């Protein structure tokens, strides 16, 4: 048991700047479900974070297969108003993160001075946690990577596109409510 | 490397101060801010146009502030307040053409503002205000 815990502890430490608070989720996830050991006991020590009530089943399945633990699921200090950060994708990482992804991917095309983008970013962050392991979520800055935005015919911002097997499957335009996004996501996960 | 000093004939090695290795900042913000003068111009325009079109600002003034700054940014870089919530292949050409210059044609014709800057009273996100101060703009965009 101790060996399993220690192994997961080393993962977030490897990346400088990552917050230690990512540890509890990694710790909980490293415990195999078959052991029946209640991971809630590990989680409860970190009550300061808004991690309570999350579906642990999803994160358990995710952590075992995902090699990039700290990259996608890093928990950021609450002072920034989001518990989870949606990672960025650029034109350089587009091929590997989106087109070659084995899971469906949801990409939010945003711009720095777009007001509605600010409104839906927490929603995207929340959905990325809800569908962890089943759906990857990224955001793309259209000012920094305009070629990708033009390639996919982005006009109105924000636009959310769901990709599967490297193909654009569905596009949602505008700052829509969470339920609309869930309806779209459910078609592909 | 230690500095030798002596005190009462006894050599004492003094530790050299070690500068802690500086961690690289993981997040770099490359956004350029529009000047306060232009933000003020767009703020006044927004208030005036909201009154004239009988529309209201969003309940979340952060949205309003971000859009106003976006308009100011485009006004400074392109000469015209191009809509910040759209993607363009050629921004300069679009600014010259004028369809998406704020107030854009959809707004002028149908009061449709997808930036959520000017909201009709029936919109779920519409507040009751048609004014916003420069301080409000500064405060709500200070964490960006």
């Amino acid at each position: 048991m101790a060996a399993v815990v220690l192994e997961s502890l080393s993962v977030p430490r490897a990346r400088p700047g990552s917050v230690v608070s990512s540890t509890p989720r990694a710790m909980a996830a490293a415990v195999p479900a078959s052991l029946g050991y209640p991971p809630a006991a590990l989680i409860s020590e970190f009550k300061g974070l808004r991690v309570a009530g999350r579906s642990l089943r999803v994160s358990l399945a995710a952590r075992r297969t995902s090699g990039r633990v700290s990259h996608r699921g890093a928990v950021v200090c609450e002072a920034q108003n989001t518990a989870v950060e949606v990672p960025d994708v650029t034109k350089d990482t587009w091929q590997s993160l989106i087109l070659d992804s084995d899971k469906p991917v949801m990409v939010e095309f945003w711009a720095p001075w777009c007001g509605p983008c600010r409104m839906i970013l927490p929603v995207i962050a929340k959905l990325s946690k809800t569908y962890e392991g089943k759906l990857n979520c990224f955001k793309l800055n259209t000012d920094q990577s305009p070629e990708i935005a033009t390639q996919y015919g982005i006009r109105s911002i924000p636009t959310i596109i769901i990709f599967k097997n490297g193909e654009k499957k569905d596009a949602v335009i505008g700052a829509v409510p969470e339920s609309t996004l869930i309806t779209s996501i459910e078609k592909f996960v | 490397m230690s500095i030798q000093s002596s005190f009462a004939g006894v050599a004492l090695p003094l530790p050299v101060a070690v500068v802690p290795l500086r961690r690289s900042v993981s997040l770099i913000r490359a956004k350029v801010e529009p000047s306060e003068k232009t933000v003020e111009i767009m703020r006044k325009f927004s208030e005036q146009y909201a009154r004239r079109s009988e529309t209201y600002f969003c309940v979340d003034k952060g949205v309003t502030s971000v859009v106003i700054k976006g308009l100011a940014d485009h006004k400074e870089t392109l000469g015209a307040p191009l809509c910040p919530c759209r993607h363009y292949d050629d921004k300069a050409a679009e600014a010259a053409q004028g369809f998406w210059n704020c107030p854009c044609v959809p707004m002028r014709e149908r009061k449709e503002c997808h930036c959520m800057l000017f909201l009709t009273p029936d919109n779920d996100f519409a507040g009751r205000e048609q004014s916003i101060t420069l301080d409000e703009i500064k405060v709500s965009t200070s964490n960006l």
Side-chain angles (χ1 to χ4, degrees):
Chain A
M1 178 64 74
V4 173
V5 169
L6 280 173
E7 186 190 317
S8 63
L9 272 175
S10 67
V11 176
R13 296 252 194 290
R15 194 176 82 123
S18 75
V19 184
V20 179
S21 48
S22 66
T23 316
R25 286 175 60 236
M27 276 167 67
V31 176
S34 57
L35 277 187
Y37 180 83
L42 294 169
I43 295 289
S44 63
E45 289 174 17
F46 299 85
K47 277 198 183 107
L49 298 172
R50 290 192 298 246
V51 196
R54 294 272 184 258
S55 159
L56 289 169
R57 292 191 312 274
V58 178
S59 55
L60 278 172
R63 288 296 173 256
R64 288 221 250 145
T65 50
S66 164
R68 299 190 300 265
V69 175
S70 57
H71 175 63
R72 197 160 37 82
V75 178
V76 189
C77 174
E78 271 194 337
Q80 287 190 22
N81 270 340
T82 48
V84 177
E85 270 239 6
V86 179
D88 288 292
V89 60
T90 63
K91 55 181 184 287
D92 301 320
T93 52
W94 186 259
Q95 180 71 37
S96 58
L97 288 176
I98 311 296
L99 301 178
D100 294 341
S101 174
D102 53 343
K103 289 195 273 281
V105 194
M106 179 165 82
V107 183
E108 186 214 342
F109 292 80
W110 67 286
W113 293 121
C114 164
C117 295
R118 231 171 85 125
M119 280 181 71
I120 61 160
L121 192 58
V123 174
I124 306 281
K126 186 175 161 202
L127 287 173
S128 79
K129 272 208 74 181
T130 310
Y131 288 95
E132 207 162 5
K134 291 191 266 182
L135 176 84
N136 289 336
C137 295
F138 296 97
K139 62 184 192 295
L140 180 126
N141 185 335
T142 55
D143 272 359
Q144 285 177 356
S145 303
E147 306 87 354
I148 304 283
T150 304
Q151 182 188 349
Y152 289 98
I154 304 296
R155 286 290 163 249
S156 185
I157 298 171
T159 293
I160 291 136
I161 297 187
I162 298 178
F163 292 86
K164 197 168 177 180
N165 301 325
E167 275 179 17
K168 166 178 162 181
K169 292 291 185 195
D170 199 11
V172 181
I173 296 173
V176 297
E178 191 180 341
S179 49
T180 312
L181 285 173
I182 289 178
T183 310
S184 254
I185 293 172
E186 287 291 338
K187 289 190 270 183
F188 302 105
V189 292
Chain B
M1 181 167 125
S2 63
I3 301 167
Q4 296 286 336
S5 74
S6 66
F7 179 75
V10 179
L12 293 169
L14 284 177
V16 176
V18 177
V19 179
L21 193 66
R22 236 194 102 182
R23 277 188 179 179
S24 60
V25 180
S26 54
L27 188 63
I28 300 165
R29 301 217 181 266
K31 198 158 53 168
V32 178
E33 289 266 334
S35 73
E36 199 171 294
K37 187 174 135 200
T38 320
V39 174
E40 178 61 17
I41 293 173
M42 295 318 302
R43 185 192 70 82
K44 286 217 181 91
F45 152 76
S46 303
E47 287 190 336
Q48 199 184 42
Y49 195 79
R51 281 194 300 269
R52 202 166 82 184
S53 62
E54 288 168 352
T55 53
Y56 296 85
F57 291 150
C58 185
V59 278
D60 178 4
K61 287 284 185 71
V63 171
T64 313
S65 307
V66 169
V67 177
I68 289 178
K69 276 202 163 171
L71 291 168
D73 178 65
H74 278 160
K75 182 158 167 69
E76 282 195 335
T77 53
L78 304 162
L82 205 60
C83 176
C85 302
R86 276 193 79 85
H87 176 66
Y88 311 95
D89 294 331
D90 186 343
K91 279 191 175 179
E94 293 277 358
Q97 201 266 329
F99 188 98
W100 288 110
N101 285 346
C102 187
C104 62
V105 168
M107 177 65 202
R108 281 184 266 153
E109 290 187 353
R110 297 183 295 277
K111 293 199 183 170
E112 278 174 14
C113 175
H114 68 281
C115 288
M116 299 178 74
L117 176 60
F118 303 114
L119 298 166
T120 50
D122 58 311
N123 191 302
D124 289 337
F125 294 99
R128 290 203 208 126
E129 292 178 34
Q130 291 172 320
S131 58
I132 184 169
T133 65
L134 193 60
D135 264 343
E136 275 182 282
I137 296 178
K138 280 185 188 166
V139 165
S140 42
T141 54
S142 60
N143 59 343
L144 285 181

